[in-house]
Amino acid sequence: QAKASGLGRAHYYTAEVGIVTRERTRLLHGLQQAFDRESLFLVYQPQLALAQDRVIGAEALLRWRTDDGRFVSPAEFIPVAEQSGLIVPIGHWVLRTALQALARLRAQQDGLRMAVNVSPLQFAQPQFLAQVDQALHDAGLPPSCLELEITESVAVMGMERVSALLHQIKARGIAVAIDDFGTGFSSLSYLDRLPADRLKIDRAFVSALDSGDTTARIAEMIVPLGHRLGMQVLAEGVETPAQAQALRQLGCDEVQGYLYGKPMPLDGFADWLAQRETLA
Ligand code: C2E
Ligand code: MG
Ligand code: MG
Ligand code: MG
């Protein structure tokens, strides 16, 4: 009896895994095609200095619109791209495209910078740094206008290698941000060994700021933590004036979120920037 039900369960799991694998394969095939046909594109979300209410730059975010006009969320396709290795060529394209976009935006507002998400696999490629140098060179931009966003998951490649690479990146004057801080398998000992310029507080903590629950206490602690480690602190996913006010009181340096601007295509971002200039 027990054996029979055990077998039944094993069957059930096998079927499930089969479905998940097929779905994954379908998604990967679609993504590969979208990349080949150049139907992936980038949107840009403004980042602002909180106290000065000044635009300092943008984060490039990848978008995939399928042939039937549906959007697939990066939360869904980035993991598939990572597992398959497709994130390496895609990430290279993202870097180059975002820097070309930045060259255009800097003609409009001097000093803007671009933040680009880098997946752990991409970061671990031996040619990564050379590609970054080349992309900056081709866009005619100084290293200081680029920020690479990494997450604590880069630790999978070994902290020795990560910290050596980060030192090389910093020596060039390229900035590094730790993304989604406080989520995933965060460890404060990693933070201590990652020489980063900026700490990004994850939206999960920011959204708690006007709720009054204990999660808000975490957001409050991250600001002085980042500062004590010599980093600027940027809050992600700011949606309400109350959250912005709380962040201002905490001394948070920078913000990004729907309250200020949604991720926009390049033309939209340029228009948005021009609009702000005329209002100022
Ligand atoms: P992330 O880097 O933490 O990006 C922030 C995410 O929060 C973006 O989601 C953005 O659209 C969203 N967001 C920003 N402000 C708000 C807000 O006020 N409210 C809400 N509800 N959401 C907000 P998105 O674009 O869906 O990207 C999800 C994740 O996918 C990114 O998280 C990043 O980890 C990854 N990703 C996106 N583009 C790339 C890329 O080019 N390369 C790599 N490796 N990963 C990427
Ligand atoms: Mg990011
Ligand atoms: Mg984030
Ligand atoms: Mg995220």
Side-chain angles (χ1 to χ4, degrees):
Q1 186 74 34
K3 204 173 183 181
S5 70
L7 267 178
R9 194 169 298 160
H11 245 103
Y12 172 78
Y13 281 131
T14 309
E16 278 285 285
V17 169
I19 290 163
V20 170
T21 307
R22 266 199 301 284
E23 173 64 18
R24 211 172 262 291
T25 306
R26 201 185 53 75
L27 205 61
L28 175 59
H29 183 69
L31 182 61
Q32 174 78 64
Q33 252 182 7
F35 183 50
D36 292 345
R37 292 182 191 159
E38 298 174 25
S39 50
L40 297 183
F41 62 101
L42 294 182
V43 286
Y44 303 92
Q45 185 174 35
Q47 297 183 328
L48 293 91
L50 184 52
Q52 300 82 1
D53 191 39
R54 181 173 45 83
V55 182
I56 51 172
E59 177 178 5
L61 294 158
L62 190 56
R63 292 291 176 267
W64 173 16
R65 190 174 45 218
T66 60
D67 292 339
D68 54 9
R70 211 166 42 88
F71 282 93
V72 186
S73 160
E76 206 178 319
F77 71 79
I78 296 283
V80 174
E82 260 165 12
Q83 277 152 26
S84 64
L86 192 57
I87 195 66
V88 174
I90 290 179
H92 186 208
W93 173 83
V94 168
L95 179 70
R96 295 187 59 83
T97 307
L99 286 175
Q100 298 290 344
L102 179 62
R104 175 176 151 194
L105 293 173
R106 276 165 70 100
Q108 198 175 338
Q109 183 180 322
D110 217 33
L112 289 179
R113 61 178 170 76
M114 185 64 72
V116 176
N117 293 285
V118 178
S119 96
L121 186 64
Q122 193 189 353
F123 198 67
Q125 298 298 305
Q127 71 274 27
F128 176 69
L129 255 187
Q131 290 181 340
V132 170
D133 292 339
Q134 188 67 45
L136 282 164
H137 177 267
D138 291 349
L141 293 169
S144 59
C145 70
L146 174 62
E147 179 157 287
L148 301 174
E149 292 197 5
I150 59 172
T151 63
E152 292 145 303
S153 61
V154 294
V156 297
M157 64 187 266
M159 285 309 290
E160 310 287 289
R161 276 181 70 204
V162 173
S163 93
L165 192 53
L166 287 177
H167 281 104
Q168 282 180 282
I169 289 169
K170 294 202 67 175
R172 285 162 160 75
I174 296 168
V176 175
I178 308 217
D179 203 357
D180 303 340
F181 182 71
T183 66
F185 300 96
S186 306
S187 151
L188 291 174
S189 75
Y190 289 157
L191 194 59
D192 183 40
R193 289 189 287 162
L194 296 174
D197 303 274
R198 187 166 283 98
L199 197 57
K200 297 189 75 173
I201 311 177
D202 193 77
R203 177 161 60 89
F205 302 112
V206 174
S207 63
L209 276 174
D210 48 10
S211 73
D213 67 33
T214 51
T215 309
R217 305 289 90 80
I218 298 182
E220 292 169 12
M221 297 300 291
I222 296 176
V223 179
L225 174 67
H227 286 164
R228 284 294 288 272
L229 293 169
M231 293 185 260
Q232 302 277 304
V233 180
L234 183 148
E236 298 195 282
V238 181
E239 292 182 344
T240 69
Q243 289 163 3
Q245 186 51 34
L247 289 162
R248 222 173 272 119
Q249 272 159 10
L250 290 170
C252 183
D253 306 287
E254 292 149 357
V255 282
Q256 176 181 350
Y258 296 169
L259 179 63
Y260 304 95
K262 291 204 169 180
M264 298 168 263
L266 181 57
D267 286 339
F269 192 99
D271 289 347
W272 177 86
L273 208 55
Q275 186 96 39
R276 277 186 62 95
E277 276 161 24
T278 59
L279 291 176

